[in-house]
Amino acid sequence: MEEHDMKEDEEGELNSSTASSFVNSEGESDNDYFPPNSTEEEDSEENAEEEEEEEEEEEEEGGQQLIQENDQEEYDDMWLSKDKKILWSSSNEVAGHYVPPRIPSSGPTLYAIARIKSPETTFNLFFPDNIIQLILDMTNLHGKRTLKGWVTLTAQELRAYMGLLILAGMYRSKNEATLSLWDKEMGRPVFAETMTRGRFAYISRALRFDDEQRMPQRHQRNKMFPIEDLWLKWSSLLPKMFYPGRDICIDEQLVPFKGRCPFRQYMPSKPAKYGLKIWALCDVATSYAWKLEVDTGTPPEGQRETNVGMRVVLNLCTALEGHTVTVDNFFSSIPLALELKKKKMTLVGTIRKNKRELPPQLLQLTSRLPLSSEFAFTNYMTLVSYIPKKGRNVLLLSTKHHEPEVAGEKKKPKIILDYNKCKGAVDHLDRACGAYSTRRRTLRWPVTLFYHMLDTSCFNAFVLYTQVNPNWNSQKLYKRRVFLSEVAMALVQPESHKRRAKNPPVTKNLTVTDGQQAEVVVHPRRRRQCAHCVKRLRASNSCSKCDKAICHKHTKATCFNC
C-alpha cells in the first residue's frame, strides 16, 4: 500500500517535471501559455480605451454643436432668393459704399449756348434748315402729284404754318375747328393776316415726310417708314443741345391717336387710352426730353421680344455714364442693375413681386405691421419692403442706397423718398406738352407724330432759353406762354408782312354824317364795332383823326376840293 502511494507520487512529480520541461523548451512561461487572469486584464484595458474614445467623441460633438449654433446665428441673417442663386443679408454689413463718379455739368451744351439769341433761334435749333428742306421737298412732291393748282410751298410759308399751329396751341384751341379760328367775328386776326384758311387746309392735306413711291420697299424693313428720316434727324438733335444732370428718368409716353396705325397701342391706365407709345428719357431737374424712341411693337415677320424694358433702358442710356436711372416696375430687374453697373450707373425703381431673384422673406405680410420696413442687402444691391398700410407691400430695388434709412412720420425708407422725387419727370413733360399742344384732328399717324415733335421742341427750347437767360421774365408765372407767343409771332411775321405788302390798306377821303370831314383808313380784314351804331355791327373803316370804327351808314364820300 505504501509502495503504491510512493509510485503515484513519483509519477506525479515526473509528469509535472516533464510538462514544465516541455513548456520551457518552447521558450514560453507557464503564465504566458495558460494565463490564469488574462481576460479580466484585457477587458479593463479595452474599457479604458473605449471610455477615452467616447470622451473624445463627446468633445468633438460638443465642438461641432457649438460651431453649428454659431453658424445658425449667422445664417439667420442670410436669405436665399427664390431661384437659389443670390444670397441676401438683412444686415448692411455686407453692403458696399457708393461713390458717384464725375459727370459733365448739366445744362445747355456749348453748341446750343453759342446759337441761342432769342426764343425763335432757340426753337430753330430743333428745326434747322435741313429738316425744313426735307419737309418742303416731300410736301411739294406730293402736292404736285395729287392736288390741282398746287402752289409751291416755301420755307417761310412752312415756318408760318408751324407758327400758326403753335399759336393755336397757346390759345388752347387744339380741339377748335379751323373754320372757327379764321372766323371774321369770333376768330383771331393773326390767322387771317398770315394765310387764308384754304391755304392752311391745303398745306395740312399735302403735308408729307417721305416719298410714297419708295414706301412699299421700305415697309418691309421698318414700320416707321412714312416719317423715319425726319424722326431720326430730329431725335438726334435732342441730346446735342443739353446734357442731363445726375438723376434721369425713363418712362413711356402715349400720343393720343385713334386712326389706323400698325403699332397703335391700348393703354387703359393713360387718359387717352389709344395712341402711339414713345419711350422717353428725361432730365429730372428740368424734364428736358433728352432721348425718345417710338415703340413699333413686334417687327414684321419677327418673333415676340422678351426683356423689352431692359433693352429700352440700355438703348436710351447708350451715350450716358455715371447717372442714376429711375424707372418703374416694367423696366427694373436684377439683370438690368448688373448691366448698368458696367456703365458706372445706378438704378432706383419699384420691382415686381414675381421676380425670381427676390427672397421670400420680403414677401411675407402676416407678421408685418403698417409703416414697417424690411431691408435686404448684397455687396452691390439693396431691396426694401415697405408696408404703407395693412395688406399692401411696396418693393423697391436700388444700387445707389446701402443704408437702412427711414424718415418722416410715415417712416418711409430713403429709397422711396428719392424714387418719389425723380419718378415724375416724364409725366411732367406730358402735362407741359398737353397744356399748349399743337395737335389738330387728323387720320394720319405721321402727322400726329409731327405735332408731338413740335410740342416737344417748344418745351425743350423753353428749357434751354431759361437756362441760358435765368432772369428772363422772372417775375411772371406764365413764362412759358410768353415764350410760345414770341416764338409763334417770330415765325408768323415774315409771311404776314409779305401779305400786307401785297394788300396795302386803302385810304379814302370820307366825311362823317355829323359834318366832320376826315380821312378814313380802310384796313382789310380788320373789323371793329362801329362807334355810332347801337346794334352790333362790325366795321373795317376807321376815322384817321379819332381812330373810331365807322360803318358805311355813318360815312359820306367827298372829293379833295370840298
Side-chain angles (χ1 to χ4, degrees), residues 104-301:
S105 58
S106 63
T109 60
L110 296 178
Y111 175 87
I113 293 175
R115 290 161 176 78
I116 294 177
K117 306 298 181 183
S118 64
E120 181 191 10
T121 57
T122 309
F123 174 80
N124 290 337
L125 291 176
F126 301 98
F127 280 92
D129 294 338
N130 61 336
I131 290 183
I132 295 295
Q133 190 61 43
L134 173 64
I135 301 175
L136 285 177
D137 294 341
M138 298 299 106
T139 302
N140 286 324
L141 183 63
H142 181 77
K144 292 177 182 179
R145 287 175 180 174
T146 59
L147 301 180
K148 294 182 179 180
W150 172 257
V151 179
T152 302
L153 182 66
T154 62
Q156 178 176 303
E157 196 173 10
L158 177 59
R159 291 190 181 275
Y161 172 82
M162 295 165 60
L164 292 181
L165 290 175
I166 297 174
L167 277 178
M170 188 196 70
Y171 295 140
R172 302 192 177 186
S173 302
K174 62 181 180 180
N175 295 322
E176 187 176 353
T178 306
L179 185 63
S180 176
L181 294 175
W182 268 264
D183 187 72
K184 294 181 179 180
E185 295 184 358
M186 304 300 296
R188 295 173 176 84
V190 65
F191 289 91
E193 290 176 359
T194 304
M195 65 177 62
T196 62
R197 182 177 60 86
R199 181 60 174 171
F200 182 87
Y202 234 43
I203 295 175
S204 300
R205 185 178 175 184
L207 193 63
R208 292 296 186 279
F209 315 103
D210 205 341
D211 187 3
E212 291 183 348
Q213 294 183 356
R214 295 192 303 160
M215 287 185 182
Q217 300 175 357
R218 302 178 63 188
H219 176 68
Q220 303 297 330
R221 187 174 71 253
N222 193 354
K223 296 179 182 179
M224 282 280 291
F225 63 92
I227 197 174
E228 181 183 12
D229 293 342
L230 176 64
W231 177 266
L232 292 178
K233 290 182 178 181
W234 175 81
S235 60
S236 64
L237 295 175
L238 301 181
K240 189 177 180 180
M241 308 301 171
F242 188 87
Y243 197 84
R246 176 77 64 182
D247 295 319
I248 59 177
C249 177
I250 295 178
D251 206 348
E252 72 272 359
Q253 290 181 305
L254 187 69
V255 182
F257 182 72
K258 290 188 177 181
R260 293 183 179 180
C261 178
F263 49 89
R264 186 191 67 178
Q265 299 196 22
Y266 172 69
M267 299 180 66
S269 61
K270 298 292 184 179
K273 307 252 187 274
Y274 292 92
L276 312 179
K277 183 191 285 189
I278 298 179
W279 308 113
L281 186 153
C282 294
D283 175 52
V284 170
T286 61
S287 294
Y288 180 92
W290 194 80
K291 195 169 185 179
L292 302 178
E293 179 182 333
V294 180
D295 183 13
T296 57
T298 305
E301 299 179 359

Side-chain angles (χ1 to χ4, degrees), residues 77-79 85-99 334 337-338 341 345-346 357 375-383 397-403:
D77 296 336
M78 307 301 291
W79 300 333
K85 293 182 180 180
I86 302 178
L87 192 62
W88 299 88
S89 174
S90 60
S91 174
N92 67 331
E93 294 179 357
V94 300
H97 181 65
Y98 170 67
V99 179
I334 303 296
L338 298 177
K341 180 183 177 182
M345 302 180 69
T346 55
E357 297 86 359
F375 292 86
F377 301 91
T378 65
N379 185 27
Y380 181 67
M381 296 176 291
T382 301
L383 283 172
L397 169 68
S398 174
T399 58
K400 175 183 177 181
H401 306 82
H402 300 285
E403 296 290 337

Side-chain angles (χ1 to χ4, degrees), residues 365 475 501:
L365 301 178
Q475 301 298 328

Side-chain angles (χ1 to χ4, degrees), residues 174 229 304 535 547:
K174 62 181 180 180
D229 293 342
R304 187 173 182 177
K535 297 182 179 180
D547 198 31

Side-chain angles (χ1 to χ4, degrees), residues 470-481:
N471 296 326
W472 178 76
N473 289 329
S474 59
Q475 301 298 328
K476 294 183 179 179
L477 300 178
Y478 49 92
K479 291 192 295 183
R480 184 160 173 258
R481 183 182 176 90

